[in-house]
Amino acid sequence: MAPDPRGPGMELLFHLNPYSKKEEAMETAARTHAMLCGGTGCMASGTKQVKAALEEEFRKKGIGDEAKVVLSGCNGFCAKGPVMAVYPDETFYQDIRPGDVAGLVEEHFLKGRPYQKLSFKEHDKKIAIPSIHDIPFFKHQVLVVLKNKGLIDPERIEDYIMMDGYKALSRALTLMKPEEIVKVVADSGLRGRGGAGFPTGKKWELGLKIKSDEKYVVCNGDEGDPGAFMDRSVMESDPHAVIEGMILCGVATESHKGYIYVRAEYPLAVKRLQIAIDQCHEAGLLGSSILGTGFAFDLEIYQGAGAFVCGEATALMRSIEGKRGMPRPKLWRSAVKGLWDRPTILNNVETLANIPQIILNGAGWYRSLGTDESAGTKVFALTGDIANVGLVEVPMDTTLRKIIFDIGGGITKRGRKFKAVQLGGPSGGCIPEEFLDMRVTYEDIKKCGAIVGSGGMVVMDDSTCMVNTSKFFLDFTADESCGKCVPCRIGTKLMYDMLGDICEGRGKAGDIEILEDLSEDIINSSLCGLGQSAPTPVLSTIKYFRHEYEMHINNKWCPTGVCSDLCTFYIDEKLCKGCGACLRACPTTAVSGEKKKPHKINQDLCLHCRTCWESCKFNSIKILPAAARNAGEAEIEYLAGMINEAGKGSEARIM
Amino acid sequence: MVLQRERRPIMARLSIADLQKIRDENKATFTLRKGDHKAKIIVHMGTCGIAAGARSIMTALIHEIALAGREDIVVKTSGCGGLCAREPMAVIELVDQTPVIYGDLNEEKITEIFREHIMGGNPVEKYGLALGGDALF
């Protein structure tokens, strides 16, 4: 008779672990763990259904005790969700649908073969890469903040402790003086990961020096940049790391009360943080005597209502006080007088998640990553027109090219090439191709007119209109300006309106200069970072793509066809094969023509939506200035010929 | 917003020693996910292997590991090794040692191999087929 796998061995495990219930002890003994991603992205693509299907299939196949499904935090590879990593095989699966589960379980879990249908494949290649360590997206990353991503269940404190969690805290509480902790942080060269890059050690030093009856530690989790999701993922996948960082900050600065400011739009992050805080209270990791050492520290979550300006330190603190979130003049640092006029040490989520690692491994180890001025790693949220959208962590001396092309997989859309990368969200700027070999340090990025910011990285291909892009960001900042400073409130609106005029064909000569002038005024006369950085997207695009602005204003021509009022779509008869792709794609039946004969666009019906241009495989649709709409055949042909010659077939390259 | 908090068993207040205890107790999970194991057993689970009884080999192994209380051993599966006549087969890889392939296994044999080879460190020659790993991935 076969021995029962739940035999005496299991009782032994249960006996050893007084904290676990019996079922949990059984689970611990599972031979293989399927770490299914439970980040927001994967959850939205159906993680829950996949989990149910997997468990059902394991049970059906009789390996329910051998294989265990664990919901992990964000794995980082958000583009292909739901994703799953299977241990100890270290195999990675992507894009799992409940319908695929039967095949997956049969092949991988029963027969021990990687199920190649769901394996990672490089763009345009059919070869499956089953091992998680061979996939370029994971291979080139260096994990510090995200070291537990996909390896632990964020809702189980035991999992975090297992990965050396709260070890740094134990060491700090028993063996280190506050001055020593501050010194390690200062020596590590860690700088604020929220964007400005202020040395964290300096901030803490000031916080420790100042004496007060009450001091506060605040964690800034108000991540509001469009296209940025680093902080959310850290809070979702490793909430205890943030909490440990905050307690350590409390120990180092002798404060006993902390707030985590998270926006209410991050429900999963709020939920997991709350679970983590409750667990810490139960386990005595928060409260009156942490780990029995007598040090008291308590923590609560404050949910922000989602105003972008509340990511600014002083506005954030006012918001916690229950007032309207508006910045105040920085006559004194928050570390002197912050929340409720008490000394407040405010750090970003990612900064705090770095702290336990630094205490544990030493300042020298952290310094060995990155450059002298910008030590350590940075998490970037890589999005836009690239193959592998997701969360990446790299040392700060990594080049943009490596991040975008090696990790991100490069531009994959047919016929498109890299144009610019937007760094730092609405406060950042666009970096063109010639800077691709630049390292992502605070200094280098600032030099070319952008900022590291919180780490949003939006890659744009050459079908993007830069004027329209800066209009998008201005729309955001004009909307999010709190209204306290007139230059920011009215200036951003004026700039937005001007950009709107330019995009709609009402641009005048001299507009670019007015934009630059206005930008300078807004930067110089705004109180907080929002106003001081709001014009950056405009300034950086003017700096690198001035010709594009000039074309919009002087030629009334948007060469990418994004600004619908400034373009005419025209089919080049010599190149058109008559395949009918544009004819089928056109939403207004403006395209007509017989099969295998050149097609034509009826300009009266055309909406200038660019759908036909995107569908054409032969590059036969040309984007001409708006003036060509009413021009005669001969004129159009002449224009098209000119563009062809100048751009060698690609209108986007003419610029 | 009302938070739906999950009810969990109340955990005792921890001391620093307790933290280490939790780490030790979860060593098996840690080993499994971090790849920090001392021994790896690969059971062939191709159609031929399953037909010859690889499933019971696997069950016996899991039982033995639990019984021994070892937390640094991982069990993996692989497909057919191409020598279907000698199934069920298993490969045992101890860190820093040449992997050994065993064939024609049954529950008694694998139990003996587990105790001799993995616990004792001495390969069981009489059941051995060859030296060298054949992991498919």
Side-chain angles (χ1 to χ4, degrees):
Chain A
M1 206 185 87
D4 180 7
R6 301 181 185 188
M10 293 303 107
E11 281 167 26
L12 194 70
L13 265 176
F14 175 53
H15 173 73
L16 275 172
N17 189 350
Y19 305 114
S20 305
K21 284 190 288 183
K22 197 164 185 179
E23 301 91 77
E24 282 186 26
M26 303 280 196
E27 282 175 24
T28 320
R31 175 182 71 76
T32 178
H33 292 186
M35 308 295 293
L36 195 59
C37 177
T40 298
C42 288
M43 280 290 205
S45 355
T47 289
K48 267 192 183 149
Q49 289 87 320
V50 173
K51 183 172 189 266
L54 265 174
E55 278 167 348
E56 168 70 19
E57 198 63 28
F58 284 156
R59 203 183 46 72
K60 246 198 254 166
K61 291 280 195 292
I63 52 170
D65 301 327
E66 263 178 48
K68 165 183 167 186
V69 186
V70 183
L71 224 48
S72 74
C74 180
N75 165 294
F77 203 33
C78 310
K80 301 281 169 65
V83 299
M84 177 171 87
V86 185
Y87 294 94
D89 308 328
E90 291 166 351
T91 312
F92 178 80
Y93 293 110
Q94 62 182 22
D95 228 337
I96 308 164
R97 305 280 154 226
D100 298 325
V101 166
L104 175 71
V105 171
E106 170 98 22
E107 281 294 296
H108 185 111
F109 292 92
L110 277 184
K111 296 188 174 167
R113 290 189 291 229
Y115 188 49
Q116 302 204 349
K117 185 185 162 197
L118 299 179
S119 285
F120 173 83
K121 292 168 198 84
E122 269 185 282
H123 176 69
D124 278 349
K125 287 182 198 149
K126 291 218 171 91
I127 307 157
I129 308 179
S131 168
I132 191 162
H133 301 300
D134 295 337
I135 297 170
F137 181 81
F138 296 106
K139 199 165 66 179
H140 296 296
Q141 295 194 43
V142 176
L143 304 180
V144 176
V145 173
L146 301 175
K147 76 170 179 97
N148 288 340
K149 72 162 188 181
L151 286 176
I152 61 165
D153 178 347
E155 297 183 10
R156 262 174 57 94
I157 189 171
E158 294 88 345
D159 273 24
Y160 179 70
I161 295 173
M162 168 184 92
M163 296 292 182
D164 286 343
Y166 294 109
K167 211 177 196 174
L169 180 66
S170 319
R171 186 178 296 175
L173 280 172
T174 49
L175 301 170
M176 293 169 90
K177 287 198 194 81
E179 294 80 19
E180 286 170 344
I181 303 173
V182 171
K183 190 168 181 308
V184 172
V185 174
D187 289 348
S188 72
L190 174 68
R191 295 170 64 175
R193 293 289 189 254
F198 187 79
T200 308
K202 244 185 208 168
K203 198 181 260 183
W204 287 25
E205 208 184 315
L206 193 60
L208 175 63
K209 233 185 254 163
I210 289 187
K211 301 290 166 214
S212 168
D213 55 338
E214 190 135 22
K215 290 184 199 173
Y216 299 105
V217 174
V218 177
C219 169
N220 185 348
D222 191 68
E223 179 183 48
D225 297 9
F229 49 92
M230 302 69 56
D231 294 349
R232 192 197 73 210
S233 287
V234 173
M235 290 186 284
E236 280 173 11
S237 65
D238 207 0
H240 283 286
V242 183
I243 294 174
E244 191 179 358
M246 287 189 75
I247 306 175
L248 282 166
C249 181
V251 178
T253 57
E254 291 173 343
S255 29
H256 305 286
K257 174 84 191 154
Y259 289 95
I260 306 183
Y261 191 94
V262 197
R263 38 180 51 212
E265 285 120 308
Y266 284 179
L268 193 60
V270 172
K271 181 185 155 210
R272 290 196 175 148
L273 276 169
Q274 192 60 58
I275 290 173
I277 290 175
D278 290 350
Q279 287 170 346
C280 283
H281 276 135
E282 267 177 34
L285 286 159
L286 281 175
S288 53
S289 174
I290 292 177
L291 291 169
T293 57
F295 180 80
F297 190 82
D298 212 345
L299 204 57
E300 68 184 82
I301 297 177
Y302 189 92
Q303 292 188 51
F308 181 59
V309 75
C310 287
E312 201 275 340
T314 56
L316 184 149
M317 288 185 288
R318 278 182 70 106
S319 171
I320 295 181
E321 287 169 8
K323 297 175 189 144
R324 183 170 168 186
M326 276 179 160
R328 62 156 172 80
K330 279 189 182 145
L331 302 175
W332 49 82
R333 291 205 168 281
S334 320
V336 180
K337 219 171 171 192
L339 194 56
W340 287 298
D341 285 343
R342 296 292 197 286
T344 304
I345 299 91
L346 188 137
N347 288 116
N348 170 264
V349 169
E350 202 188 321
T351 318
L352 288 166
N354 268 306
I355 302 287
Q357 297 302 307
I358 293 172
I359 303 282
L360 214 51
N361 301 318
W365 162 80
Y366 199 72
R367 268 222 175 273
S368 68
L369 300 161
T371 65
D372 282 349
E373 289 86 25
S374 303
T377 57
K378 174 85 192 87
V379 184
F380 289 99
L382 197 56
T383 57
D385 301 320
I386 47 164
N388 308 332
V389 170
L391 208 64
V392 298
E393 182 171 4
V394 288
M396 293 196 79
D397 57 355
T398 313
T399 61
L400 277 172
R401 191 182 295 280
K402 190 169 176 188
I403 298 175
I404 295 166
F405 289 91
D406 294 348
I407 297 174
I411 311 276
T412 48
K413 248 189 252 164
R414 180 175 39 79
R416 300 270 69 88
K417 41 176 243 173
F418 176 85
K419 182 170 187 176
V421 54
Q422 215 280 348
L423 266 176
S427 316
C430 292
I431 299 175
E433 204 180 350
E434 57 255 43
F435 294 106
L436 268 182
D437 288 311
M438 190 184 67
R439 298 174 303 177
V440 287
T441 62
Y442 289 105
E443 299 75 35
D444 289 354
I445 289 182
K446 200 161 184 189
K447 240 182 268 163
C448 62
I451 58 164
V452 174
S454 50
M457 200 181 258
V458 186
V459 180
M460 293 175 277
D461 66 21
D462 60 1
S463 67
T464 319
C465 169
M466 299 318 282
V467 185
N468 206 2
T469 305
S470 61
K471 191 181 98 179
F472 167 81
F473 283 116
L474 246 290
D475 184 19
F476 181 83
T477 34
D479 202 41
E480 290 290 350
S481 169
C482 77
K484 185 166 183 166
C485 314
V486 179
C488 172
R489 181 180 73 227
I490 298 180
T492 49
K493 179 80 176 77
L494 278 176
M495 283 178 76
Y496 173 70
D497 287 347
M498 275 184 81
L499 288 168
D501 280 351
I502 293 174
C503 288
E504 282 160 27
R506 296 185 297 273
K508 302 177 293 291
D511 274 2
I512 301 179
E513 287 71 26
I514 296 177
L515 276 174
E516 284 175 328
D517 234 38
L518 250 174
S519 298
E520 210 170 299
D521 292 343
I522 296 173
I523 292 171
N524 290 335
S525 49
S526 295
L527 200 55
C528 80
L530 195 155
Q532 287 162 10
S533 63
T536 324
V538 181
L539 285 179
S540 74
T541 45
I542 290 181
K543 187 171 168 194
Y544 298 117
F545 301 95
R546 196 183 181 100
H547 49 271
E548 224 168 296
Y549 280 85
E550 283 164 353
M551 277 188 172
H552 277 73
I553 295 170
N554 303 336
N555 306 0
K556 304 280 179 265
W557 182 21
C558 175
T560 54
V562 173
C563 306
S564 55
D565 292 321
L566 300 182
C567 55
T568 306
F569 292 88
Y570 163 78
I571 298 176
D572 190 333
E573 287 180 12
K574 285 183 220 90
L575 294 171
C576 182
K577 303 264 189 283
C579 69
C582 53
L583 191 141
R584 285 189 295 275
C586 181
T588 59
T589 62
V591 185
S592 60
E594 284 172 49
K595 253 189 186 167
K596 296 195 176 168
K597 279 185 187 154
H599 289 17
K600 242 184 159 27
I601 296 176
N602 180 349
Q603 297 299 339
D604 296 333
L605 287 176
C606 180
L607 293 173
H608 315 100
C609 65
R610 210 171 71 150
T611 313
C612 54
W613 182 79
E614 276 158 18
S615 71
C616 182
K617 286 183 186 154
F618 306 100
N619 212 3
S620 69
I621 298 182
K622 301 294 166 199
I623 300 168
L624 306 179
R629 281 178 205 177
N630 307 316
E633 291 270 316
E635 260 176 275
I636 288 178
E637 250 172 70
Y638 172 72
L639 269 169
M642 232 172 59
I643 292 164
N644 256 344
E645 219 159 274
K648 293 202 170 56
S650 164
E651 55 292 310
R653 258 173 260 166
I654 192 174
M655 299 165 302
Chain B
M1 193 177 83
V2 181
L3 288 171
Q4 289 187 341
R5 292 182 199 172
E6 229 169 77
R7 281 284 127 227
R8 297 172 44 89
I10 297 292
M11 185 186 250
R13 293 179 77 81
L14 301 174
S15 69
I16 290 172
D18 292 333
L19 285 178
Q20 193 52 46
K21 215 152 95 197
I22 293 179
R23 269 172 221 132
D24 294 340
E25 280 153 13
N26 286 283
K27 189 82 179 70
T29 311
F30 180 84
T31 311
L32 192 92
R33 295 184 196 163
K34 289 288 269 192
D36 187 24
H37 50 262
K38 290 217 169 59
K40 183 159 86 181
I41 310 168
I42 303 161
V43 182
H44 284 199
M45 284 287 212
T47 308
C48 46
I50 293 174
R55 173 60 39 200
S56 66
I57 304 290
M58 174 70 84
T59 319
L61 272 172
I62 290 172
H63 177 70
E64 279 299 318
I65 293 171
L67 208 60
R70 286 283 294 262
E71 289 162 338
D72 48 3
I73 302 170
V74 298
V75 184
K76 290 173 67 164
T77 53
S78 80
C80 168
L83 196 60
C84 310
R86 307 296 297 271
E87 296 281 2
M89 279 157 66
V91 186
I92 294 185
E93 289 180 35
L94 296 186
V95 171
D96 304 329
Q97 279 185 32
T98 320
V100 181
I101 307 177
Y102 293 100
D104 296 320
L105 295 173
N106 57 33
E107 278 162 34
E108 286 77 42
K109 283 183 188 172
I110 195 73
T111 310
E112 189 182 338
I113 292 168
F114 182 85
R115 290 181 184 163
E116 285 292 314
H117 190 166
I118 292 185
M119 303 300 284
N122 309 310
V124 189
E125 248 175 73
K126 54 183 172 177
Y127 304 137
L129 270 184
L131 288 175
D134 71 341
L136 288 183
F137 68 97

Short mmCIF file of all heavy atoms in Angstrom, two decimals, chain A residues 494-527:
data_model
loop_
_atom_site.label_atom_id
_atom_site.label_comp_id
_atom_site.label_asym_id
_atom_site.label_seq_id
_atom_site.Cartn_x
_atom_site.Cartn_y
_atom_site.Cartn_z
N LEU A 494 -2.94 78.77 -20.11
CA LEU A 494 -2.58 79.52 -21.32
C LEU A 494 -1.72 78.68 -22.25
O LEU A 494 -1.93 78.64 -23.47
CB LEU A 494 -1.82 80.79 -20.94
CG LEU A 494 -2.65 82.00 -20.50
CD1 LEU A 494 -1.75 83.13 -20.08
CD2 LEU A 494 -3.56 82.43 -21.65
N MET A 495 -0.74 78.01 -21.63
CA MET A 495 0.13 77.17 -22.46
C MET A 495 -0.65 76.06 -23.12
O MET A 495 -0.44 75.75 -24.30
CB MET A 495 1.25 76.57 -21.59
CG MET A 495 2.34 77.55 -21.26
SD MET A 495 3.59 76.82 -20.21
CE MET A 495 4.49 75.81 -21.35
N TYR A 496 -1.57 75.47 -22.37
CA TYR A 496 -2.39 74.39 -22.93
C TYR A 496 -3.22 74.91 -24.11
O TYR A 496 -3.30 74.27 -25.15
CB TYR A 496 -3.30 73.80 -21.85
CG TYR A 496 -4.28 72.80 -22.40
CD1 TYR A 496 -3.84 71.57 -22.87
CD2 TYR A 496 -5.64 73.11 -22.48
CE1 TYR A 496 -4.73 70.65 -23.40
CE2 TYR A 496 -6.53 72.20 -23.01
CZ TYR A 496 -6.08 70.98 -23.47
OH TYR A 496 -6.95 70.08 -24.01
N ASP A 497 -3.81 76.08 -23.92
CA ASP A 497 -4.62 76.65 -25.00
C ASP A 497 -3.78 76.94 -26.24
O ASP A 497 -4.22 76.71 -27.38
CB ASP A 497 -5.31 77.94 -24.53
CG ASP A 497 -6.44 77.65 -23.56
OD1 ASP A 497 -6.83 76.45 -23.47
OD2 ASP A 497 -6.92 78.57 -22.89
N MET A 498 -2.57 77.45 -26.00
CA MET A 498 -1.69 77.74 -27.13
C MET A 498 -1.32 76.47 -27.89
O MET A 498 -1.32 76.43 -29.12
CB MET A 498 -0.41 78.42 -26.65
CG MET A 498 -0.56 79.91 -26.50
SD MET A 498 0.99 80.63 -26.04
CE MET A 498 1.78 80.71 -27.62
N LEU A 499 -1.01 75.42 -27.12
CA LEU A 499 -0.67 74.15 -27.76
C LEU A 499 -1.87 73.63 -28.53
O LEU A 499 -1.74 73.07 -29.62
CB LEU A 499 -0.21 73.13 -26.72
CG LEU A 499 1.17 73.40 -26.13
CD1 LEU A 499 1.41 72.53 -24.92
CD2 LEU A 499 2.26 73.14 -27.17
N GLY A 500 -3.06 73.82 -27.97
CA GLY A 500 -4.28 73.42 -28.65
C GLY A 500 -4.43 74.16 -29.97
O GLY A 500 -4.75 73.56 -31.01
N ASP A 501 -4.16 75.47 -29.94
CA ASP A 501 -4.23 76.28 -31.16
C ASP A 501 -3.25 75.76 -32.21
O ASP A 501 -3.59 75.63 -33.38
CB ASP A 501 -3.89 77.74 -30.83
CG ASP A 501 -5.10 78.45 -30.22
OD1 ASP A 501 -6.19 77.85 -30.25
OD2 ASP A 501 -4.94 79.57 -29.71
N ILE A 502 -2.03 75.47 -31.74
CA ILE A 502 -1.01 74.99 -32.67
C ILE A 502 -1.45 73.67 -33.30
O ILE A 502 -1.32 73.45 -34.50
CB ILE A 502 0.35 74.82 -31.96
CG1 ILE A 502 0.87 76.20 -31.53
CG2 ILE A 502 1.36 74.12 -32.85
CD1 ILE A 502 2.14 76.16 -30.70
N CYS A 503 -2.03 72.79 -32.49
CA CYS A 503 -2.45 71.49 -33.01
C CYS A 503 -3.65 71.59 -33.92
O CYS A 503 -3.96 70.67 -34.66
CB CYS A 503 -2.77 70.53 -31.86
SG CYS A 503 -1.31 69.99 -30.99
N GLU A 504 -4.40 72.69 -33.79
CA GLU A 504 -5.60 72.80 -34.62
C GLU A 504 -5.42 73.79 -35.77
O GLU A 504 -6.39 74.21 -36.40
CB GLU A 504 -6.79 73.19 -33.74
CG GLU A 504 -7.33 71.99 -32.96
CD GLU A 504 -8.16 72.41 -31.77
OE1 GLU A 504 -8.75 73.51 -31.79
OE2 GLU A 504 -8.21 71.62 -30.80
N GLY A 505 -4.19 74.21 -35.98
CA GLY A 505 -3.93 75.02 -37.17
C GLY A 505 -4.04 76.52 -36.95
O GLY A 505 -4.08 77.28 -37.91
N ARG A 506 -4.14 76.96 -35.71
CA ARG A 506 -4.22 78.40 -35.47
C ARG A 506 -2.90 78.95 -34.91
O ARG A 506 -2.86 80.01 -34.32
CB ARG A 506 -5.36 78.71 -34.50
CG ARG A 506 -6.73 78.36 -35.07
CD ARG A 506 -7.84 78.79 -34.14
NE ARG A 506 -7.78 78.10 -32.87
CZ ARG A 506 -8.36 76.91 -32.62
NH1 ARG A 506 -9.03 76.30 -33.57
NH2 ARG A 506 -8.25 76.35 -31.45
N GLY A 507 -1.83 78.19 -35.08
CA GLY A 507 -0.53 78.64 -34.58
C GLY A 507 -0.01 79.83 -35.38
O GLY A 507 -0.25 79.94 -36.59
N LYS A 508 0.67 80.74 -34.69
CA LYS A 508 1.23 81.92 -35.36
C LYS A 508 2.74 81.94 -35.16
O LYS A 508 3.27 81.36 -34.21
CB LYS A 508 0.66 83.20 -34.75
CG LYS A 508 -0.84 83.31 -34.80
CD LYS A 508 -1.34 84.56 -34.11
CE LYS A 508 -1.13 84.58 -32.62
NZ LYS A 508 -1.94 83.61 -31.86
N ALA A 509 3.41 82.65 -36.05
CA ALA A 509 4.85 82.81 -35.88
C ALA A 509 5.09 83.49 -34.54
O ALA A 509 4.36 84.40 -34.15
CB ALA A 509 5.41 83.64 -37.02
N GLY A 510 6.08 83.05 -33.82
CA GLY A 510 6.37 83.65 -32.53
C GLY A 510 5.76 82.90 -31.36
O GLY A 510 6.07 83.15 -30.21
N ASP A 511 4.88 81.94 -31.65
CA ASP A 511 4.25 81.16 -30.60
C ASP A 511 5.27 80.38 -29.77
O ASP A 511 5.15 80.27 -28.54
CB ASP A 511 3.22 80.18 -31.19
CG ASP A 511 1.86 80.84 -31.38
OD1 ASP A 511 1.76 82.05 -31.07
OD2 ASP A 511 0.93 80.15 -31.82
N ILE A 512 6.26 79.83 -30.46
CA ILE A 512 7.25 79.01 -29.76
C ILE A 512 7.98 79.86 -28.73
O ILE A 512 8.18 79.44 -27.59
CB ILE A 512 8.25 78.40 -30.76
CG1 ILE A 512 7.51 77.54 -31.77
CG2 ILE A 512 9.31 77.59 -30.03
CD1 ILE A 512 8.39 76.92 -32.82
N GLU A 513 8.31 81.10 -29.14
CA GLU A 513 9.03 81.98 -28.22
C GLU A 513 8.15 82.35 -27.02
O GLU A 513 8.63 82.39 -25.89
CB GLU A 513 9.49 83.25 -28.95
CG GLU A 513 10.66 83.04 -29.91
CD GLU A 513 10.28 82.25 -31.16
OE1 GLU A 513 9.09 82.28 -31.55
OE2 GLU A 513 11.16 81.58 -31.75
N ILE A 514 6.86 82.59 -27.28
CA ILE A 514 5.96 82.91 -26.17
C ILE A 514 5.87 81.73 -25.20
O ILE A 514 5.90 81.89 -23.98
CB ILE A 514 4.55 83.29 -26.70
CG1 ILE A 514 4.63 84.57 -27.53
CG2 ILE A 514 3.57 83.49 -25.54
CD1 ILE A 514 3.32 84.98 -28.16
N LEU A 515 5.79 80.53 -25.78
CA LEU A 515 5.73 79.32 -24.94
C LEU A 515 6.97 79.23 -24.05
O LEU A 515 6.87 78.96 -22.85
CB LEU A 515 5.64 78.06 -25.81
CG LEU A 515 4.25 77.66 -26.31
CD1 LEU A 515 4.36 76.49 -27.28
CD2 LEU A 515 3.34 77.29 -25.15
N GLU A 516 8.14 79.50 -24.65
CA GLU A 516 9.38 79.40 -23.87
C GLU A 516 9.40 80.45 -22.76
O GLU A 516 9.80 80.18 -21.62
CB GLU A 516 10.58 79.60 -24.80
CG GLU A 516 10.86 78.38 -25.65
CD GLU A 516 11.97 78.60 -26.66
OE1 GLU A 516 12.12 79.73 -27.17
OE2 GLU A 516 12.68 77.63 -26.97
N ASP A 517 8.93 81.64 -23.11
CA ASP A 517 8.88 82.75 -22.16
C ASP A 517 7.97 82.43 -20.98
O ASP A 517 8.33 82.57 -19.82
CB ASP A 517 8.31 83.97 -22.90
CG ASP A 517 9.24 85.14 -22.77
OD1 ASP A 517 10.46 84.89 -22.80
OD2 ASP A 517 8.73 86.28 -22.61
N LEU A 518 6.77 81.97 -21.34
CA LEU A 518 5.77 81.62 -20.33
C LEU A 518 6.31 80.54 -19.40
O LEU A 518 6.16 80.60 -18.18
CB LEU A 518 4.52 81.07 -21.03
CG LEU A 518 3.26 81.93 -21.01
CD1 LEU A 518 2.22 81.27 -21.88
CD2 LEU A 518 2.74 82.09 -19.60
N SER A 519 6.98 79.54 -20.01
CA SER A 519 7.53 78.43 -19.24
C SER A 519 8.47 78.96 -18.18
O SER A 519 8.40 78.59 -17.00
CB SER A 519 8.31 77.47 -20.13
OG SER A 519 7.45 76.92 -21.08
N GLU A 520 9.33 79.87 -18.59
CA GLU A 520 10.31 80.41 -17.66
C GLU A 520 9.61 81.11 -16.50
O GLU A 520 9.99 80.94 -15.34
CB GLU A 520 11.21 81.38 -18.42
CG GLU A 520 12.61 81.44 -17.87
CD GLU A 520 13.50 82.21 -18.81
OE1 GLU A 520 13.65 81.77 -19.97
OE2 GLU A 520 13.99 83.26 -18.39
N ASP A 521 8.59 81.90 -16.83
CA ASP A 521 7.86 82.63 -15.78
C ASP A 521 7.22 81.65 -14.80
O ASP A 521 7.27 81.85 -13.59
CB ASP A 521 6.78 83.51 -16.40
CG ASP A 521 7.39 84.65 -17.20
OD1 ASP A 521 8.59 84.90 -17.00
OD2 ASP A 521 6.68 85.24 -18.04
N ILE A 522 6.60 80.60 -15.34
CA ILE A 522 5.92 79.65 -14.46
C ILE A 522 6.93 78.95 -13.55
O ILE A 522 6.72 78.81 -12.35
CB ILE A 522 5.13 78.61 -15.28
CG1 ILE A 522 4.01 79.30 -16.06
CG2 ILE A 522 4.55 77.52 -14.39
CD1 ILE A 522 3.28 78.40 -17.03
N ILE A 523 8.06 78.56 -14.15
CA ILE A 523 9.08 77.86 -13.36
C ILE A 523 9.59 78.77 -12.24
O ILE A 523 9.75 78.34 -11.10
CB ILE A 523 10.25 77.42 -14.27
CG1 ILE A 523 9.79 76.32 -15.23
CG2 ILE A 523 11.45 76.94 -13.45
CD1 ILE A 523 10.76 75.97 -16.31
N ASN A 524 9.83 80.03 -12.56
CA ASN A 524 10.44 80.93 -11.59
C ASN A 524 9.48 81.39 -10.51
O ASN A 524 9.91 81.79 -9.43
CB ASN A 524 11.02 82.16 -12.29
CG ASN A 524 12.24 81.78 -13.10
OD1 ASN A 524 12.89 80.79 -12.80
ND2 ASN A 524 12.53 82.54 -14.14
N SER A 525 8.19 81.39 -10.78
CA SER A 525 7.31 82.02 -9.81
C SER A 525 6.29 81.08 -9.19
O SER A 525 5.33 81.52 -8.59
CB SER A 525 6.59 83.21 -10.47
OG SER A 525 6.05 82.79 -11.69
N SER A 526 6.50 79.77 -9.33
CA SER A 526 5.59 78.84 -8.68
C SER A 526 6.20 78.36 -7.37
O SER A 526 7.41 78.27 -7.23
CB SER A 526 5.30 77.63 -9.57
OG SER A 526 4.62 78.04 -10.71
N LEU A 527 5.31 78.02 -6.44
CA LEU A 527 5.74 77.66 -5.11
C LEU A 527 6.31 76.25 -5.05
O LEU A 527 7.32 75.99 -4.41
CB LEU A 527 4.51 77.76 -4.20
CG LEU A 527 4.71 77.90 -2.72
CD1 LEU A 527 5.60 79.08 -2.42
CD2 LEU A 527 3.36 78.07 -2.06
#
